Amino acid sequence: MSAPAGTLTRVRRAARSRLQDLPDLASVPFSGVFSDHMLVAEYAGGAWRNVDIVPYGPLSIAPSISALHYGVSAFEGLKAHRTQDDRVAIFRPRENARRLSRSAARLSMPSVPEEMFLEGLRELVRLDRDWTPALDRGALYIRPLLFSTDESIRVKPAERFTFLIFTFPFGSYYAEPLDVLVTERFVRAFPGGVGDIKPAGNYAPAMLADRLAKEAGFHTVMWLDAKERAYVEECGVMNMFFVIGDDIVTPSLDGTIMPGITRDSIISLLRDMGRTVRERRVSIAEILAAHERGELRECFGTGTAAIVSHVRRIRYRDRDIELPPVGEAGVGKSARDGLMRIATGRVADAHHWLDLV
Ligand SMILES: Cc1ncc(COP(=O)(O)O)c(C=O)c1O
């Protein structure tokens, strides 16, 4: 009898784990080596079938699939940590399942049912749990991906899709403070576009801006809004926070900003700590003025990989904003520490963010 649509059909284990070839998971470079297994599911005839866990390896795809030609593809990124009592906890996976559904809807792809996403993910992480670095020595990064597989280059909504999830371990991500270049030439997102979801097509056009920023001696770019080139949107692939006087400000989710799951978590934690976080538009002129008054205390980006990355310098046109070094009491640092205490099970998970496998 065949399994009901969307449930795990088959698990084919790797004959030999590659884990034994790795001396230390914490020293593996980001996406340098992938865990033993991946989840692969196929969508055809209006239903998800063949939800399999198989050894990680190449896929066989036709050259004509629209994912390759037209970017009919969307992805997610999340992490699992080892907890203090040696369990493995996935951080807020339901939020990623929901964001992937929003990406799918916008690209005319079928949604991956939330329970199929979550159950498949738990099973995969359970099977490869030994790939999760030790407590405080890094995390297991999880990459879900959904793309079309119709063998047709007609520009039309596709009918066949593949959903997959693979994972990899990476060591602690102590990112150095960032130097960022405000770009007025390029934009990441625009009203009515797709800046608030994660289609593959958002990332390729950002690479040139990123490369030019690196060539000019910066780590990444700060994006402004498409219409006026006046309001701060994001920085690289991170949401932005500014500490101005006693206020913490982050751009509001107006359709061109990624609803980052780290952004949402950091806002909740800062509010739990009694801080005021304002979600509103922030102009680059306001940042310059706050800096001139000596009130710009901190600027940091948030995202799954590094959680919080402090910004040290912002270049806007011919002006450099140098931010003061952040100590242990910094807003970004305390929010990051608070998030890590929850992610590693050191304090009660009051927001129900952890999915223990
Ligand atoms: C453009 C962009 N902004 C922000 C983020 C941060 O989102 P999250 O905190 O969910 O990782 C991401 C990563 O998903 C991103 O791609």
Side-chain angles (χ1 to χ4, degrees):
M1 207 178 78
S2 65
T7 57
L8 195 63
T9 331
R10 196 166 61 116
V11 177
R12 186 159 58 81
R13 283 171 170 266
R16 172 185 174 278
S17 174
R18 285 175 287 105
L19 197 53
Q20 46 198 293
D21 307 334
L22 299 173
D24 176 20
L25 286 183
S27 58
V28 174
F30 191 81
S31 89
V33 56
F34 299 95
S35 313
D36 284 329
H37 299 93
M38 62 183 183
L39 178 129
V40 186
E42 285 166 17
Y43 182 92
W48 285 103
R49 304 174 202 287
N50 303 335
V51 187
D52 294 341
I53 291 179
V54 295
Y56 174 86
L59 303 169
S60 170
I61 49 172
S64 55
I65 64 172
S66 54
L68 290 176
H69 298 263
Y70 310 127
V72 185
S73 172
F75 70 97
E76 275 300 324
L78 64 161
K79 285 195 306 198
H81 293 94
R82 214 170 269 272
T83 61
Q84 214 181 15
D85 57 357
D86 205 30
R87 295 202 280 175
V88 172
I90 312 174
F91 193 73
R92 305 191 73 180
R94 197 174 286 278
E95 298 305 317
N96 296 89
R98 289 179 178 162
R99 193 166 61 187
L100 185 64
S101 280
R102 293 200 301 274
S103 296
R106 182 66 176 78
L107 300 190
S108 208
M109 297 198 280
S111 112
V112 175
E114 230 167 272
E115 289 316 312
M116 174 179 143
F117 181 110
L118 292 173
E119 278 165 24
L121 173 60
R122 287 181 196 125
E123 208 47 49
L124 180 69
V125 172
R126 200 171 292 135
L127 189 61
D128 281 339
R129 83 185 293 282
D130 292 347
W131 285 82
T132 314
L135 179 67
D136 298 332
R137 303 280 328 272
L140 188 75
Y141 185 91
I142 299 162
R143 170 51 60 94
L145 174 69
L146 170 65
F147 60 97
S148 64
T149 52
D150 282 26
E151 290 195 39
S152 163
I153 60 160
R154 286 187 55 196
V155 182
K156 62 168 181 54
E159 283 163 15
R160 299 176 69 95
F161 299 86
T162 292
F163 171 61
L164 55 88
I165 311 179
F166 59 81
T167 73
F168 58 85
F170 76 110
S172 307
Y173 212 101
Y174 291 119
E176 58 175 336
L178 303 176
D179 296 333
V180 303
L181 178 64
V182 179
T183 176
E184 292 181 277
R185 181 173 162 204
F186 303 107
V187 292
R188 193 194 76 85
F190 42 87
V194 288
D196 58 347
I197 53 162
K198 287 179 73 71
N202 276 5
Y203 296 82
M207 306 244 177
L208 177 61
D210 195 67
R211 196 184 84 205
L212 295 177
K214 287 196 170 77
E215 284 170 5
F218 295 83
H219 293 94
T220 189
V221 283
M222 186 179 279
W223 305 105
L224 299 180
D225 73 288
K227 272 202 295 274
E228 296 174 60
R229 311 279 158 104
Y231 295 94
V232 174
E233 299 223 313
E234 300 194 34
C235 183
V237 289
M238 292 183 298
N239 293 111
M240 294 306 300
F241 286 77
F242 298 93
V243 183
I244 305 174
D246 287 330
D247 271 1
I248 303 164
V249 184
T250 187
S252 37
L253 302 179
D254 62 355
T256 56
I257 310 275
M258 175 70 61
I261 295 157
T262 319
R263 174 190 180 278
D264 182 75
S265 310
I266 295 285
I267 293 174
S268 297
L269 291 173
L270 289 170
R271 287 183 178 153
D272 290 351
M273 292 172 198
R275 303 290 308 236
T276 303
V277 184
R278 297 186 202 283
E279 297 176 70
R280 62 165 171 82
R281 297 182 99 189
V282 192
S283 70
I284 190 72
E286 175 185 352
I287 299 304
L288 287 167
H291 180 251
E292 266 163 30
R293 291 195 310 274
E295 287 183 10
L296 183 64
R297 301 213 172 124
E298 262 178 70
C299 167
F300 58 88
T302 65
T304 291
I307 305 176
V308 167
S309 301
H310 271 100
V311 172
R312 176 174 61 189
R313 179 165 65 112
I314 304 170
R315 158 93 44 99
Y316 176 63
R317 298 186 177 165
D318 56 357
R319 292 179 63 180
D320 268 341
I321 300 176
E322 302 276 351
L323 284 118
V326 277
E328 288 299 299
V331 170
K333 168 99 174 53
S334 54
R336 180 187 193 279
D337 290 351
L339 191 150
M340 281 309 294
R341 276 196 293 275
I342 296 176
T344 54
R346 286 188 166 90
V347 299
D349 177 21
H351 293 281
H352 307 291
W353 285 343
L354 302 190
D355 202 307
L356 289 155
V357 299

